[in-house]
């Protein structure tokens, strides 16, 4: 992995030493969600993967539209830490996924940082990134290969189509980060989540959306478990919304995306 790190240090203008220093300045065992897993998050085998994920984002964002956030400190804060905090909060609640799917994964967040940490704390876990854009899936695949994350796979497709096929109710954890309004995400993600598993939405705020999602959750076999409000290092507010999958989702759902957005359940 040293050869890959050396290559990326030249290409991204972010060194591994600078990355670890920035990460340590932003996160500590006192960071929300970090108390139990901090030693795992800062272990060299995980930190090297997190560096590669960050440096690859900076490099590939210059080639095509991945993210507008490319300043190293903000990449670590708003992409890496913002992905690790939810994992830590879930593990604290006894939720460690065997098979995770990230719906609308974009540039691979929270998929890739979560998978990097899971490679240490739960090596048998698998993770899937689902996105409609081929270039983003290619980026995720390249990152996973450079990190040695054989457990990560990327699928190009749309959730409302894929969830009627081979991925239906196959993941014990489905996650979505700021992809759409919560009533839409509930209908898209519930069918991908196995009974007994969980759907988790990463939002900047969610109170109104949770209320608007009550009917969708009931119809799709979900039950609201917990809403966790917290603050990122640096001051941005976040909300983690956790649903339990308590019953199979009727085959009617999800509907076509135009129907979902035009007339939410």
């Amino acid at each position: 992995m040293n050869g890959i790190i050396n290559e990326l240090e030249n290409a991204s203008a972010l060194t591994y030493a600078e990355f670890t220093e920035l990460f340590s300045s932003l996160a500590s065992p006192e960071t929300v969600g970090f108390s139990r897993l901090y030693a795992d998050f800062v272990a060299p085998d995980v930190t090297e993967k997190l560096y590669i994920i960050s440096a690859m984002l900076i490099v590939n964002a210059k080639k095509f539209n991945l993210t507008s956030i490319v300043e190293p400190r903000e990449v670590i804060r708003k992409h890496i830490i913002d992905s690790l905090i939810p994992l830590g909060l879930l593990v604290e609640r006894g939720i460690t996924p065997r098979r995770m799917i990230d719906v609308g994964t974009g540039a691979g967040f929270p998929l890739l940082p979560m998978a990097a940490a899971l490679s240490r704390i739960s090596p048998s876990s698998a993770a899937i990134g689902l996105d409609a854009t081929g270039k983003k899936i290619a980026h995720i695949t390249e990152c996973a290969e450079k990190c040695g994350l054989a457990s990560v796979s990327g699928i190009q497709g749309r959730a409302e189509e894929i969830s009627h096929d081979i991925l239906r109710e196959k993941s014990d954890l489905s996650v979505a980060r700021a992809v759409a309004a919560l009533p839409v995400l509930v209908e898209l993600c519930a069918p991908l989540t196995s009974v007994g598993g969980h759907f988790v939405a990463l939002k900047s705020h969610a109170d109104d959306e949770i209320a608007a999602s009550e009917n969708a959750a009931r119809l799709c076999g979900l039950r609201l478990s917990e809403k966790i409000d917290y603050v990122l290092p640096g001051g941005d507010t976040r909300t983690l919304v956790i649903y339990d999958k308590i019953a199979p989702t009727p085959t009617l759902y999800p509907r076509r995306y135009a129907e979902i957005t035009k007339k939410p359940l």
Side-chain angles (χ1 to χ4, degrees):
M1 195 169 287
N2 285 340
I4 294 170
I5 289 174
N6 290 338
E7 173 190 331
L8 287 171
E9 285 183 326
N10 293 327
S12 68
L14 172 66
T15 68
Y16 178 64
E18 289 168 341
F19 172 86
T20 56
E21 184 178 349
L22 282 168
F23 187 89
S24 297
S25 72
L26 289 165
S28 72
E30 286 71 46
T31 300
V32 61
F34 273 43
S35 60
R36 183 169 174 178
L37 296 180
Y38 182 75
D40 296 299
F41 291 163
V42 298
D45 58 317
V46 175
T47 305
E48 288 176 355
K49 293 178 176 65
L50 296 176
Y51 167 74
I52 291 170
I53 292 163
S54 301
M56 285 292 299
L57 180 71
I58 293 169
V59 170
N60 282 342
K62 298 174 184 176
K63 302 175 185 176
F64 54 92
N65 183 28
L66 276 177
T67 177
S68 60
I69 300 170
V70 293
E71 193 277 321
R73 185 179 187 276
E74 292 300 275
V75 168
I76 295 168
R77 193 173 73 87
K78 290 189 174 180
H79 286 316
I80 302 298
I81 294 174
D82 199 17
S83 298
L84 293 176
I85 287 175
L87 178 62
L89 291 172
L90 291 173
V91 170
E92 286 175 2
R93 286 154 177 78
I95 302 172
T96 302
R98 295 181 302 276
R99 178 167 169 156
M100 176 184 80
I101 184 166
D102 181 5
V103 178
T105 186
F109 302 99
L111 172 76
L112 291 170
M114 283 188 172
L118 286 169
S119 70
R120 180 177 177 86
I121 65 176
S122 180
S124 62
S125 294
I128 299 170
L130 176 64
D131 201 274
T133 304
K135 287 184 178 180
K136 292 177 179 178
I137 293 300
H139 166 76
I140 289 166
T141 301
E142 184 182 11
C143 281
E145 289 175 352
K146 288 186 181 296
C147 289
L149 290 171
S151 62
V152 174
S153 57
I155 297 177
Q156 183 181 357
R158 301 186 64 86
E160 67 273 20
E161 298 168 357
I162 292 287
S163 59
H164 282 290
D165 202 353
I166 57 173
L167 293 182
R168 190 174 185 86
E169 297 188 332
K170 297 296 185 183
S171 298
D172 61 332
L173 177 65
S174 63
V175 298
R177 179 186 186 227
V179 179
L182 193 54
V184 174
L185 292 177
V186 163
E187 186 171 348
L188 291 175
C189 296
L192 295 164
T193 310
S194 58
V195 175
H198 308 274
F199 161 54
V200 176
L202 287 62
K203 307 288 288 184
S204 57
H205 54 80
D207 286 345
D208 292 342
E209 292 187 26
I210 290 172
S213 303
E214 288 180 1
N215 192 53
R218 178 181 60 81
L219 290 173
C220 292
L222 296 178
R223 178 180 61 203
L224 179 65
S225 173
E226 190 174 1
K227 177 181 78 74
I228 307 167
D229 297 317
Y230 57 95
V231 179
L232 274 185
D236 301 88
T237 59
R238 295 288 188 268
T239 298
L240 197 69
V241 187
I242 304 173
Y243 288 92
D244 300 331
K245 182 70 178 287
I246 59 174
T249 302
T251 55
L252 171 64
Y253 307 117
R255 299 164 294 161
R256 292 179 301 170
Y257 193 76
E259 293 180 76
I260 297 172
T261 54
K262 184 176 181 180
K263 191 176 181 181
L265 293 175

